[in-house]
Amino acid sequence: MLSLGLASPSASSPVVAREVLPRRNQVGNPILRCLYKGKVGRWACGHALRIALASKSTRKGISCNHISAAITDVSFNQTVQDGLPKGDLWSVHKFGGTCMGTAQRIQSVADITLDDPSERKLIIVSAMSKVTDMLYNLLVKAQSRDDSYMSALDGVFEKHMLTAKELLGGDDLATFLSHLHSDISNLKVMLRAIYIAGHVTESFSDFVVGHGELWSAQMLSYVIKKSGRPCTWMDTRDVLVVNPTSSNQVDPDYQESAKRLQKWFSQNPAETVVATGFIASTPQNIPTTLKRDGSDFSAAIFGSLVKAHQVTIWTDVDGVYSADPRKVSEAVILRTLSYQEAWEMSYFGANVLHPRTIIPVMKYNIPILIRNVFNLSAPGTIICQQPIDENLNGQNLKAVVKAFATIDNLALVNVEGTGMAGVPGTASAIFSAVKEVGANVIMISQASSEHSVCFAVPEKEVGAVSEILESRFREALVAGRLSKVEVIRHCSILAAVGQKMASTPGVSATLFDAIAKANINVRAIAQGCSEYNITVVLKQEDCVRGLRAVHSRFYLSKTTLAMGIIGPGLIGATLLNQLKDQAAALKEKFNIDLRVMGITGSKKMILSNTGIDLSQWKDLMAEKAEAADLEKFVKLVHENHFFPNTVLVDCTADSNIANHYYDWLRKGIHVITPNKKANSGPLDQYLKLRRLQRQSYTHYFYEATVGAGLPIISTLHGLLETGDKILQIEGIFSGTLSYIFNNFVGSRAFSDVVAEAKQAGYTEPDPRDDLSGTDVARKVIILARECGLKLELSDLPVRNLVPEPLRASSSAEEFMQQLPNFDRELATEQNDADSAGEVLRYVGVVDVVNQKGLVELRRYKKDHPFSQLSGSDNIIAFTTTRYKDQPLIVRGPGAGAEVTAGGVFSDILRLASYLGAPS
């Protein structure tokens, strides 16, 4: 990772910043706008904590004495140097354009300033909201000879005139309006010259756009003076001296600025000074600016010049977020950031602060507080030296990764070739060429073999980069020393930032595990030896999902699953009720957030972008459903980038739905189902499905396909994975047939028992679906294939209990009417078994030794475990090399909506655990 280097400052020399990395990314990122443009807030440390320390009190269990060690490092004794007081008596505040946007807001800024108990206050202000853009627009219009620049200038005048009239009166208003009229007149003359020339120089531009700060500083100073407090305003072009180093960067001249500040202060000794942000002068006294977003830089420079005890940046949100809250809804406000963490975040686009803003205050360990001007009670964020103990107020020390930042609209350039290895100067030649076209290199990664170098640049610049590299290295490409200059478009950077990463093993492993489990491929990686950040390049379409995945994995938010429920019938409806009842407990106890994004049946469906209220899903299905469309359903559930992990739960018995599993898994969608059709269908499709599942991080769980809520599949997997060898699996797999044969005793007719089971709801609507044995056969096939047997459903001999003449009956009712005519055969078998002291049981058998399976009616002694069943219980016996003499028995309810839905629910929670939820 590239970073800014600082020359060691001496007592007599200013801080010297030497840029050894490409210029800061200009692709705006909302996290950092969270701090600069208004996505962050403040944390009351500095003066507020100093007061707390003085009272020697404790609050909410926090030891103030414990805090003092951290505060002492950022304190300065009061000093007076050539008449200019410096040190703890100064506080510096910066108010951005949003804070100064209206007369009411300017009054609020004045109130905040007056409430600050610091002995001396330096207030840095930006232009009123949108005014800088309005002034830049004037220049564009004048340069392009658009006559409307005059009316646009009138709009600027009117905005400030109306604001001043609302805030001021008497002599103050007259004085301000006089200055405003004079400035507007001068601007008209200058804009007219630009209009005639059709060209504007940088110095003219800087002079024009700096007027917004002049006017807002004057208005605020007059408002503060109205309260009776001494206040004056400073045109920082008279004090702050900078040396332009490029078209978008300047270096402060601290020594000269300090001299001019001393001179200015000797003439204007007010206790409260309102100063213009953004603007400055060159050593030749030519007006210039600190470039876009320069007011924060102004505040930091003046904070270092007066050695203030704190610099407070006022914005319009509550603090620096752990991730862009527009992409990660569970993003949290960070209590503290170290200078290094803020530096890293700002480089990667998070609107914390520009990296150069941090340089002036780092020298003197001055904390930067981020506060919300519209929510003074918010705790906010402090940027300072790494705190001794971040566990104040119970902050979680497990969060070794402080935050995540992303940059979109990038392209990856890969220069590759065997001729690069061991050849000095190759990298230098590459980046010299890139520099010639002025491209901004965001990230660099090189393999240790020196076989390739890849780097990320803004996508809009990659065309020029590719062209010059192919031109510069044409000879090497023709000769084969370089194999290619490859451009990979539509990329994004995801950066994890945290100072604790340097001393915590396994951070990288956790990060990449989370990305992999979200089924996202990493194109490039970069990490500096400081380990303050880990940077990865992803496809842009995967970036938000990756951000959500890693954010969840590091316990900054809940493990969230976006779920689609297919088949809201008996099992599906029961599952939805179970999810509703457990949702709150899962969030609170296990940090798991299960969001049902869609529910679809065969005819209608309901969808939601944020999650369906499960207490009302039936009403929604009845009143607001739309026509069922499986493709649309899957797309909405999966392509909602706010949720990194998607699972489809198939609660149907539909083979057409099962045929989609392969495509869903290939897209990174997890699948959970009690549907037996996929695993017992054509062998080639099953093998293809399992190969895909094993090769990816996408999960396919189907525990409920065999034993409903019983742990049959997981028990079998446990035996096989620990090296046991399966010899035979034998079991009563049908709850319906278990009930029937448990009650087919004595003189009872078989048809009577079937009718009783149907009446009690144990059978399918058509009992032939149970009596045919097909359901048991599918379970046997599933277990056989899990044991490695390559069997088709047609390979199994199945005892069909439906009499041959009745298999073609037109209806279930007709079948039930005719069934008593065929009781004799089974009655004979039952009597024979009873005479021998045995019972009849309908069983499925997987004979691994002989590589076969079967479904049949077997006789067992009355002391056999299979003979001891009651009701509709299932029982499965595993005979293995370890459990050869005494088989491993699993017994319990194997049918019913509650237990089947419970088995599916268990698979959902197992998936959440695999994806990072605490187990």
Side-chain angles (χ1 to χ4, degrees):
M1 162 60 202
L2 299 173
S3 60
L4 281 174
L6 293 181
S8 300
S10 65
S12 60
S13 64
V15 174
V16 179
R18 181 170 62 87
E19 185 165 283
V20 296
L21 47 76
R23 62 186 170 88
R24 183 175 80 106
N25 164 50
Q26 298 301 312
V27 182
N29 181 291
I31 305 174
L32 221 75
R33 279 196 296 271
C34 285
L35 209 158
Y36 208 112
K37 294 270 187 184
K39 301 290 181 212
V40 263
R42 56 103 176 144
W43 184 58
C45 179
H47 190 79
L49 283 180
R50 206 176 318 281
I51 294 172
L53 287 170
S55 67
K56 298 294 184 182
S57 65
T58 57
R59 181 169 161 266
K60 294 186 179 179
I62 307 171
S63 168
C64 292
N65 289 329
H66 185 67
I67 301 172
S68 63
I71 299 302
T72 301
D73 293 338
V74 296
S75 300
F76 302 99
N77 294 325
Q78 178 178 343
T79 61
V80 178
Q81 196 174 70
D82 299 326
L84 173 62
K86 295 182 180 181
D88 278 359
L89 75 170
W90 280 101
S91 65
V92 175
H93 297 262
K94 178 264 176 178
F95 295 92
T98 303
C99 304
M100 302 287 293
T102 65
Q104 292 80 7
R105 291 181 182 180
I106 293 174
Q107 183 62 58
S108 296
V109 168
D111 294 340
I112 290 171
T113 302
L114 292 168
D115 287 341
D116 181 354
S118 300
E119 185 175 338
R120 293 186 179 274
K121 289 161 280 192
L122 182 58
I123 313 301
I124 309 295
V125 295
S126 297
M128 293 181 69
S129 179
K130 308 299 182 184
V131 166
T132 300
D133 288 337
M134 293 170 72
L135 293 171
Y136 272 118
N137 188 46
L138 289 175
L139 293 168
V140 172
K141 287 178 180 292
Q143 184 176 231
S144 59
R145 297 191 173 103
D146 182 345
D147 290 328
S148 65
Y149 79 88
M150 290 296 291
S151 59
L153 182 59
D154 291 340
V156 173
F157 169 77
E158 184 175 3
K159 180 181 181 74
H160 289 85
M161 179 191 67
L162 293 176
T163 303
K165 286 184 176 180
E166 192 171 344
L167 288 168
L168 308 174
D171 292 343
D172 289 342
L173 176 61
T175 302
F176 174 78
L177 291 179
S178 174
H179 289 157
L180 180 63
H181 277 289
S182 176
D183 290 339
I184 294 295
S185 297
N186 290 336
L187 288 175
K188 284 182 179 179
V189 173
M190 181 168 285
L191 290 169
R192 179 63 181 170
I194 294 170
Y195 178 93
I196 294 171
H199 174 71
V200 58
T201 65
E202 184 177 358
S203 58
F204 271 36
S205 174
D206 287 346
F207 176 78
V208 171
V209 299
H211 278 75
E213 280 71 19
L214 296 172
W215 297 326
S216 61
Q218 291 176 60
M219 283 192 288
L220 179 60
S221 68
Y222 288 132
V223 173
I224 294 173
K225 282 172 62 178
K226 281 199 311 181
S227 67
R229 300 281 183 89
C231 180
T232 189
W233 75 278
M234 175 196 294
D235 181 348
T236 52
R237 294 176 299 188
D238 298 334
V239 174
L240 184 54
V241 179
V242 298
N243 293 294
T245 57
S246 68
S247 62
N248 65 344
Q249 187 168 290
V250 296
D251 284 342
D253 185 336
Y254 288 94
Q255 287 185 330
E256 180 61 26
S257 298
K259 291 178 182 177
R260 294 191 181 191
L261 179 61
Q262 163 59 34
K263 179 180 178 181
W264 186 94
F265 189 84
S266 66
Q267 299 169 356
N268 303 275
E271 294 178 355
T272 301
V273 177
V274 180
T276 56
F278 181 56
I279 58 176
S281 292
T282 69
Q284 295 76 35
N285 293 319
I286 298 172
T288 187
T289 69
L290 302 184
K291 312 311 171 187
R292 279 287 193 175
D293 297 337
S295 293
D296 285 356
F297 197 13
S298 298
I301 293 168
F302 277 103
S304 70
L305 289 175
V306 300
K307 297 183 175 61
H309 71 82
Q310 65 187 32
V311 173
T312 305
I313 308 292
W314 293 87
T315 64
D316 60 359
V317 294
D318 288 342
V320 182
Y321 283 89
S322 56
D324 180 354
R326 297 181 301 180
K327 296 178 180 179
V328 181
S329 58
E330 296 87 0
V332 298
I333 298 291
L334 297 174
R335 172 103 175 259
T336 62
L337 279 175
S338 69
Y339 293 127
Q340 290 81 3
E341 288 166 340
W343 200 340
E344 296 283 358
M345 288 179 66
S346 62
Y347 178 77
F348 285 103
N351 280 345
V352 180
L353 290 171
H354 191 292
R356 294 175 62 80
T357 304
I358 301 169
I359 296 172
V361 296
M362 282 181 67
K363 177 180 179 181
Y364 300 108
N365 294 332
I366 300 171
I368 302 175
L369 286 81
I370 312 301
R371 302 185 65 177
N372 188 346
V373 72
F374 305 116
N375 183 12
L376 300 182
S377 63
T381 303
I382 182 171
I383 299 171
C384 57
Q385 280 190 325
Q386 181 70 14
I388 292 175
D389 183 358
E390 289 189 333
N391 203 27
L392 306 176
N393 282 342
Q395 179 163 318
N396 188 2
L397 283 170
K398 292 182 180 179
V400 296
V401 176
K402 265 294 179 62
F404 300 92
T406 59
I407 307 174
D408 294 327
N409 302 312
L410 301 179
L412 200 61
V413 180
N414 182 43
V415 182
E416 186 175 309
T418 55
M420 295 173 59
V423 179
T426 303
S428 173
I430 291 171
F431 293 109
S432 294
V434 173
K435 181 181 178 182
E436 286 185 23
V437 297
N440 178 18
V441 178
I442 309 298
M443 187 208 79
I444 302 172
S445 179
Q446 180 175 9
S448 59
S449 65
E450 301 182 25
H451 177 70
S452 67
V453 175
C454 71
F455 53 93
V457 297
E459 194 155 16
K460 63 184 179 181
E461 299 174 358
V462 74
V465 171
S466 175
E467 185 177 335
I468 194 169
L469 288 176
E470 289 180 353
S471 173
R472 186 66 53 85
F473 294 99
R474 181 172 289 111
E475 183 180 335
L477 288 165
V478 172
R481 295 192 302 276
L482 289 184
S483 58
K484 61 181 176 180
V485 175
E486 179 185 17
V487 173
I488 304 170
R489 296 179 179 273
H490 309 304
C491 293
S492 292
I493 276 179
L494 169 61
V497 175
Q499 193 155 329
K500 290 183 182 180
M501 291 162 57
S503 58
T504 306
V507 174
S508 297
T510 303
L511 178 78
F512 291 114
D513 181 64
I515 292 173
K517 286 181 175 176
N519 202 43
I520 295 171
N521 186 41
V522 175
R523 305 305 300 262
I525 304 166
Q527 179 176 8
C529 60
S530 69
E531 293 190 54
Y532 288 152
N533 87 72
I534 303 172
T535 305
V536 297
V537 178
L538 313 171
K539 289 182 181 178
Q540 186 161 317
E541 64 189 57
D542 294 331
C543 187
V544 174
R545 196 153 46 90
L547 176 63
R548 292 271 316 185
V550 297
H551 196 270
S552 294
R553 191 66 177 87
F554 282 92
Y555 297 94
L556 293 174
S557 63
K558 298 175 176 64
T559 299
T560 305
L561 280 176
M563 302 172 58
I565 308 296
I566 304 171
L570 184 59
I571 294 173
T574 304
L575 174 64
L576 287 166
N577 289 335
Q578 292 178 355
L579 290 170
K580 177 196 68 175
D581 293 341
Q582 282 297 110
L586 289 172
K587 284 184 182 180
E588 181 179 349
K589 296 180 180 179
F590 301 102
N591 213 27
I592 298 172
D593 186 3
L594 302 179
R595 303 277 186 94
V596 177
M597 314 300 292
I599 303 170
T600 184
S602 59
K603 296 182 179 179
K604 56 186 181 179
M605 65 181 183
I606 52 175
L607 302 170
S608 170
N609 287 316
T610 56
I612 295 168
D613 181 354
L614 295 185
S615 66
Q616 301 181 26
W617 76 268
K618 289 185 179 179
D619 293 336
L620 293 171
M621 204 74 172
E623 299 169 6
K624 298 186 177 181
E626 57 185 282
D629 182 335
L630 188 61
E631 183 178 351
K632 179 181 178 180
F633 177 85
V634 173
K635 184 174 182 180
L636 181 135
V637 173
H638 180 53
E639 295 186 5
N640 187 325
H641 292 300
F642 288 99
F643 304 101
N645 303 302
T646 305
V647 57
L648 293 176
V649 182
D650 174 20
C651 295
T652 72
D654 191 339
S655 58
N656 290 325
I657 300 295
N659 290 337
H660 289 282
Y661 293 177
Y662 182 85
D663 289 334
W664 293 343
L665 291 168
R666 191 164 51 85
K667 292 176 181 178
I669 303 172
H670 308 287
V671 176
I672 293 173
T673 185
N675 187 345
K676 295 179 270 295
K677 299 297 174 63
N679 285 14
S680 62
L683 179 63
D684 59 337
Q685 293 184 22
Y686 165 79
L687 294 174
K688 181 181 177 183
L689 185 66
R690 293 307 308 275
R691 276 196 302 270
L692 174 65
Q693 189 242 332
R694 292 190 184 102
Q695 291 168 1
S696 70
Y697 279 91
T698 310
H699 297 286
Y700 172 43
F701 294 149
Y702 44 87
E703 182 69 74
T705 57
V706 174
L710 296 179
I712 306 302
I713 298 292
S714 56
T715 298
L716 177 57
H717 286 172
L719 293 171
L720 292 171
E721 290 166 3
T722 57
D724 204 352
K725 183 178 180 181
I726 307 298
L727 303 177
Q728 178 177 280
I729 303 173
E730 182 181 14
I732 297 173
F733 294 100
S734 167
T736 301
L737 293 172
S738 175
Y739 178 89
I740 288 173
F741 283 98
N742 288 339
N743 290 278
F744 183 36
V745 294
S747 60
R748 296 197 67 183
F750 183 74
S751 59
D752 289 341
V753 179
V754 173
E756 177 183 282
K758 186 175 186 298
Q759 182 69 30
Y762 286 113
T763 72
E764 294 293 333
D766 189 336
R768 286 176 294 182
D769 294 339
D770 298 295
L771 297 175
S772 68
T774 301
D775 184 68
V776 176
R778 288 189 181 279
K779 295 178 180 180
V780 170
I781 281 292
I782 291 171
L783 293 175
R785 290 175 175 177
E786 294 294 315
C787 293
L789 304 187
K790 296 182 178 180
L791 298 177
E792 294 280 9
L793 191 60
S794 59
D795 295 332
L796 265 64
V798 178
R799 170 71 183 271
N800 192 333
L801 298 178
V802 180
E804 180 73 31
L806 300 184
R807 293 175 189 174
S809 295
S810 61
S811 66
E813 290 74 19
E814 180 184 345
F815 166 73
M816 291 302 297
Q817 289 174 0
Q818 297 295 325
L819 185 58
N821 298 329
F822 299 88
D823 280 341
R824 181 174 299 177
E825 181 182 351
L826 282 173
T828 300
E829 289 188 56
Q830 194 272 335
N831 290 332
D832 290 345
D834 189 54
S835 299
E838 296 174 334
V839 297
L840 293 177
R841 293 293 183 260
Y842 194 82
V843 298
V845 180
V846 179
D847 186 349
V848 180
V849 175
N850 294 306
Q851 301 282 294
K852 66 179 183 178
L854 55 91
V855 178
E856 64 182 10
L857 197 58
R858 282 188 174 182
R859 289 161 54 164
Y860 293 91
K861 293 294 184 182
K862 291 185 178 180
D863 60 352
H864 192 279
F866 285 17
S867 304
Q868 309 301 314
L869 292 184
S870 61
S872 61
D873 279 3
N874 285 5
I875 186 168
I876 293 88
F878 295 90
T879 304
T880 72
T881 53
R882 294 176 188 161
Y883 297 94
K884 191 170 186 179
D885 297 327
Q886 187 72 26
L888 175 62
I889 301 289
V890 178
R891 172 179 172 174
E898 288 291 339
V899 294
T900 303
V904 175
F905 199 167
S906 178
D907 274 349
I908 294 170
L909 297 181
R910 183 155 63 107
L911 174 62
S913 178
Y914 282 17
L915 296 174
S919 56

